[in-house]
């Protein structure tokens, strides 16, 4: 008997072929495409396979047709793939045959279907917006497309439908959504793709609570339909300032507690040189932290010093206090900060960089001690600053995008103290990942122009939006959950490439397509492009 594991999108089925009746059974090779006709029968009890979804049955083959032979594949197509990612991307159509990849892509389809279901039910309509648009940077570099008909002129690929969705609000489509492809020519990063997909949502006559309610409802629906779980809504909220102060990041992972503690009052007057005259003295109380080894602490301390901080100082509470700041400790302090037997206290001192450093340390320790509880912990982070300083130019730039309305009480500081201006900006965060961003927009031209000016942006590029704001533009706001990242988090994966059918590498190459690549000189000529 010849046994073939026959796979389709739904499962693998054992196909049994008798080579005495069907001699070509002996020629069936791995990854051939076959058509088997037969009778599905129950397997004898001792041959049932619990590990297979179809393990109780098998197909007794009566007819067999080989529809197409396969070459020997360049890697073994199995769930637990051993091949390196480059090979998998080069032969993505084979990689996608693996059960795990099929599950990821099907999960993606089911989540997107649930999103559409929810929004359709809530009176939203799906509208497509252009991909070929004008170069209107929204915070990233544009991909440019040269025009053949208009020599030396360019289109740009849309970085998001931002401009159009605002125009749709002006046009009176007060509840819009779109599964939108966004193209941004940014520097490579491990979880970034030159093109990503988001579910872009915009609504008129709303404030933050309305947008949150829709997004929370949509996620609750996804969890119910796809994950078969009840998601607790509403999600908790933290302002940006609180998030940085308590978790050292604007994407806090709430699967474990361990907030950053302000220890300045307790330790600034201890006459301990590394803490002396430091703007910030902050630390972490690591519950049952005795397992953190000296080596790890030394490594962190080195990183802290490289960051410009005073290093990491620590004490463990056992019978007595041990560690580099044991002599600063007493029972009263321990009580104040809830440092109990077996706990570890880590402290650093320095400038504002302490927050992001302790935020990273917090995450590392949680990994080390396995502190993450199971499940999904969502939260909103709100009130982000509108501007930040661009590290390269030293000038003000929009921290998310410039179409955000400043908080009313901060409007007066737009020109005088830009960094103090908070926006009606929000992110949705889950398990330490930013899953969505959005804001309440400016529907007033003058205000929008003031923001462009501070961010050194050329308002003339955005004339179509600015003009539209002069024709009775309704107040509006929206959000854009990133689909790649959502699927990655729901599937418990760490790379977005695992949930995209045909991704690019971290270096923005398409290994399957062999792109970017040179083009025919004739094409360049038509576009009037020459190279030096
Ligand atoms: N257009 C924004 C983005 O792509 C999302 C939004 O503000 O709605 O990040």
């Amino acid at each position: 008997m010849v046994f073939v594991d026959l796979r389709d999108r739904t499962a693998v089925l054992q196909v049994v072929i008798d080579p005495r009746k069907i001699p070509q059974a002996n020629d069936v090779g791995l990854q051939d495409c076959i058509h088997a006709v037969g009778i599905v029968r129950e397997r004898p009890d001792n041959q049932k396979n619990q590990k297979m979804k179809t393990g109780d049955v098998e197909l007794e083959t009566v007819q067999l047709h080989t529809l197409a032979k396969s070459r020997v594949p360049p890697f073994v197509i199995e769930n637990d793939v051993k091949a390196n990612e480059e090979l998998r991307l080069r032969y993505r159509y084979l990689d996608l045959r693996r059960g795990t990849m099929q599950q990821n892509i099907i999960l993606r389809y089911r989540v997107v279907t649930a999103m559409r279901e929810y929004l359709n039910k809530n009176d939203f309509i799906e509208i497509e917006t252009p991909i070929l648009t004008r170069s209107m940077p929204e915070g990233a570099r544009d991909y440019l497309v040269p025009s053949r008909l208009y020599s030396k002129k360019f289109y740009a690929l849309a970085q998001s439908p931002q401009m159009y969705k605002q125009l749709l609000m002006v046009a009176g489509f007060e509840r819009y959504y779109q599964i939108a492809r966004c193209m941004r020519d940014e520097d490579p990063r491990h979880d970034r793709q030159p093109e990503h997909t988001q579910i872009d949502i915009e609504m008129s006559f709303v404030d933050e609570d309305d947008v949150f309610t829709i997004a929370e409802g949509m996620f609750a629906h996804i969890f119910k339909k796809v994950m078969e779980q009840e998601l607790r809504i509403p999600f908790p909220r933290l302002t940006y300032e609180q998030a940085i102060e308590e978790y050292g990041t604007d994407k806090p992972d709430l699967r474990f507690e361990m907030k950053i503690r302000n220890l300045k009052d307790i330790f600034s007057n201890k006459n301990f040189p590394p803490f002396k005259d430091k703007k910030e003295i902050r630390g972490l109380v690591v519950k049952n932290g005795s397992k953190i080894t000296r080596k790890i602490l030394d490594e962190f301390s080195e990183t802290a010093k490289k960051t410009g901080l005073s290093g990491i100082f620590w004490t463990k509470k056992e019978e007595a206090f041990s560690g580099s700041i044991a002599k600063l400790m007493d029972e009263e302090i321990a009580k104040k900060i809830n440092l109990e037997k077996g706990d570890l206290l880590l402290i650093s001192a320095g400038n504002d960089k302490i927050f992001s450093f302790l935020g990273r340390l917090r995450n590392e320790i949680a990994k080390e001690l396995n502190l993450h509880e199971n499940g999904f912990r969502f939260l909103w982070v709100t009130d982000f600053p509108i501007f930040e300083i661009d590290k390269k130019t030293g000038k003000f730039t929009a921290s998310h995008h410039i179409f955000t309305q400043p908080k009313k009480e901060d409007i007066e500081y737009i020109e005088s103290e830009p960094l103090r201006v908070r926006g009606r900006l929000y992110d949705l965060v889950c398990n330490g990942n930013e899953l969505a961003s959005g804001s309440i927009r400016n529907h007033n031209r003058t205000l929008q122009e003031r923001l462009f000016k501070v961010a050194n942006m050329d308002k003339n590029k955005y004339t179509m939006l600015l003009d539209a704001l002069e024709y009775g533009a309704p107040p509006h706001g929206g959000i854009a959950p990133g689909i790649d990242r959502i699927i990655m988090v729901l599937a418990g994966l760490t790379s977005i490439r695992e949930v995209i059918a045909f991704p690019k590498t971290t270096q923005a190459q398409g290994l399957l397509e062999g792109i970017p690549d040179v083009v025919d000189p004739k094409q360049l000529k038509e576009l009037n492009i020459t190279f030096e």
Side-chain angles (χ1 to χ4, degrees):
M1 286 296 164
V2 172
F3 294 92
V4 172
D5 275 347
L6 183 64
R7 180 194 58 233
D8 76 0
R9 202 180 73 193
T10 56
V12 174
L13 177 68
Q14 175 162 287
V15 171
V16 186
I17 320 168
D18 184 345
R20 285 166 307 187
K21 294 188 196 144
I22 306 178
Q24 86 255 38
N26 290 319
D27 301 332
V28 175
L30 277 178
Q31 303 303 322
D32 285 358
C33 178
I34 62 167
H35 175 203
V37 181
I39 293 159
V40 176
R41 67 177 180 212
E42 193 173 359
R43 297 193 203 181
D45 276 350
N46 62 352
Q47 285 174 27
K48 287 188 175 161
N49 182 349
Q50 302 296 331
K51 287 192 201 125
M52 263 175 110
K53 209 165 143 189
T54 60
D56 284 356
V57 293
E58 59 192 7
L59 184 86
E60 183 190 353
T61 309
V62 190
Q63 276 177 38
L64 180 73
H65 307 282
T66 299
L67 301 177
K69 295 291 294 172
S70 169
R71 281 159 58 175
V72 176
F75 57 89
V76 184
I77 296 172
E78 56 193 342
N79 280 349
D80 208 359
V81 70
K82 314 272 181 317
N84 68 34
E85 198 181 11
E86 282 192 7
L87 197 60
R88 291 174 51 206
L89 291 176
R90 163 76 182 80
Y91 293 94
R92 190 58 156 183
Y93 46 89
L94 298 180
D95 190 39
L96 286 171
R97 286 184 183 174
R98 299 189 300 112
T100 35
M101 287 307 288
Q102 298 230 331
Q103 273 166 26
N104 295 348
I105 301 299
I106 291 168
L107 174 70
R108 183 178 179 122
Y109 160 73
R110 295 183 63 208
V111 168
V112 170
T113 304
M115 287 171 164
R116 282 202 162 104
E117 256 168 32
Y118 178 81
L119 294 172
N120 292 344
K121 204 171 64 200
N122 280 280
D123 214 16
F124 283 77
I125 62 169
E126 186 167 8
I127 306 176
E128 289 170 69
T129 58
I131 282 185
L132 279 186
T133 184
R134 181 187 179 84
S135 174
M136 298 180 282
E138 277 173 39
R141 197 179 292 106
D142 281 326
Y143 276 108
L144 296 176
V145 181
S147 158
R148 180 180 58 82
L149 296 178
Y150 301 93
S151 180
K152 299 186 186 165
K153 297 208 165 158
F154 292 83
Y155 305 90
L157 301 183
Q159 291 190 20
S160 89
Q162 185 63 34
M163 217 65 47
Y164 293 104
K165 67 173 171 174
Q166 293 194 234
L167 296 182
L168 285 171
M169 295 305 111
V170 181
F173 292 100
E174 57 186 52
R175 285 180 159 225
Y176 139 97
Y177 80 93
Q178 174 180 200
I179 310 288
R181 195 59 66 81
C182 302
M183 280 127 313
R184 302 177 187 180
D185 187 2
E186 294 183 276
D187 290 336
R189 217 174 56 186
H190 82 280
D191 65 344
R192 207 178 248 165
Q193 286 280 306
E195 45 185 316
H196 74 264
T197 311
Q198 64 190 25
I199 180 147
D200 203 58
I201 299 172
E202 197 76 7
M203 303 150 76
S204 289
F205 313 111
V206 290
D207 60 19
E208 288 82 343
D209 283 335
D210 300 300
V211 179
F212 291 1
T213 304
I214 284 295
E216 286 163 352
M218 185 176 84
F219 276 94
H221 183 71
I222 295 168
F223 268 68
K224 194 165 180 179
K225 285 299 269 266
V226 183
M227 312 291 285
E228 290 168 16
Q229 282 178 34
E230 247 356 273
L231 187 65
R232 221 179 317 138
I233 53 173
F235 303 142
R237 299 179 192 184
L238 281 181
T239 63
Y240 170 80
E241 215 177 87
Q242 284 170 321
I244 298 292
E245 185 157 329
E246 293 176 10
Y247 299 96
T249 170
D250 55 7
K251 310 187 254 294
D253 191 337
L254 298 191
R255 285 174 298 172
F256 54 95
E257 188 53 19
M258 208 187 352
K259 289 184 187 168
I260 297 173
R261 314 283 286 260
N262 186 352
L263 303 169
K264 194 163 176 182
D265 283 354
I266 301 176
F267 289 101
S268 61
N269 55 6
K270 290 277 177 203
N271 227 345
F272 185 59
F275 293 170
K276 198 160 180 298
D277 298 331
K278 291 286 158 45
K279 181 166 174 241
E280 303 288 350
I281 305 175
R282 299 201 183 230
L284 299 170
V285 173
V286 187
K287 290 278 149 204
N288 299 311
S290 306
K291 268 189 256 148
I292 302 278
T293 60
R294 184 69 191 264
K295 187 166 162 270
I296 295 177
L297 293 176
D298 287 346
E299 276 168 21
F300 281 130
S301 199
E302 278 315 301
T303 320
K305 283 183 197 150
K306 278 189 207 133
T307 318
L309 303 169
S310 59
I312 284 275
F313 300 90
W314 59 276
T315 181
K316 279 181 191 169
K317 185 167 172 3
E318 300 294 347
E319 291 314 321
F321 297 100
S322 62
S324 53
I325 46 168
K327 60 178 187 300
L328 308 184
M329 294 298 296
D330 58 43
E331 283 302 330
E332 198 182 319
I333 296 179
K335 200 155 170 220
K336 224 181 201 166
I337 58 175
N338 192 21
L339 187 79
E340 294 167 319
K341 204 164 152 208
D343 295 350
L344 171 71
L345 172 66
L346 303 173
I347 311 186
S348 192
N351 57 16
D352 288 344
K353 292 204 172 130
I354 198 164
F355 294 104
S356 58
F357 171 72
L358 287 176
R360 270 178 304 178
L361 182 59
R362 179 179 173 272
N363 282 336
E364 287 302 319
I365 288 177
K367 250 193 251 162
E368 196 68 36
L369 297 180
N370 242 327
L371 299 182
H372 302 92
E373 64 182 41
N374 286 336
F376 301 92
R377 294 293 301 270
F378 284 85
L379 81 149
W380 292 105
V381 180
T382 65
D383 299 2
F384 283 77
I386 291 212
F387 299 106
E388 62 189 17
I389 305 264
D390 185 315
K391 284 196 194 86
K392 280 190 202 131
T393 62
K395 292 187 176 158
F396 293 116
T397 172
S399 64
H400 173 51
H401 65 54
I402 198 70
F403 311 104
T404 300
Q405 196 178 111
K407 283 179 87 81
K408 208 163 162 203
E409 59 272 34
D410 292 352
I411 289 181
E412 60 180 298
Y413 304 110
I414 293 178
E415 288 81 10
S416 57
E417 287 181 73
L419 291 181
R420 137 170 209 185
V421 182
R422 291 160 304 162
R424 297 180 70 183
L425 251 177
Y426 34 81
D427 274 5
L428 180 62
V429 175
C430 177
N431 294 359
N433 296 280
E434 178 198 315
L435 294 190
S437 266
S439 64
I440 303 299
R441 329 293 185 187
N442 296 303
H443 61 285
N444 168 296
R445 178 172 189 147
T446 316
L447 187 55
Q448 183 62 64
E449 287 195 5
R450 286 173 66 190
L451 298 173
F452 277 139
K453 195 155 179 216
V454 176
N456 300 294
M457 290 169 77
D458 178 4
K459 66 177 184 189
N460 296 319
K461 288 191 179 159
Y462 305 87
T463 307
M464 72 177 190
L465 175 70
L466 292 172
D467 283 352
L469 295 185
E470 290 191 299
Y471 291 92
H476 59 283
I479 189 161
I483 290 181
D484 310 306
R485 210 154 312 147
I486 291 171
I487 311 300
M488 177 187 90
V489 170
L490 294 186
L493 298 167
T494 50
S495 160
I496 54 171
R497 295 183 298 285
E498 297 296 298
V499 300
I500 301 174
F502 299 104
K504 311 274 186 292
T505 64
T506 45
Q507 296 303 313
Q509 287 170 308
L511 298 183
L512 171 68
E513 305 89 340
I515 48 172
D517 198 5
V518 293
V519 293
D520 193 321
K522 266 196 265 155
Q523 291 172 295
L524 290 177
K525 201 157 172 229
E526 277 176 345
L527 294 169
N528 210 351
I529 292 179
T530 50
F531 295 116
E532 289 185 355

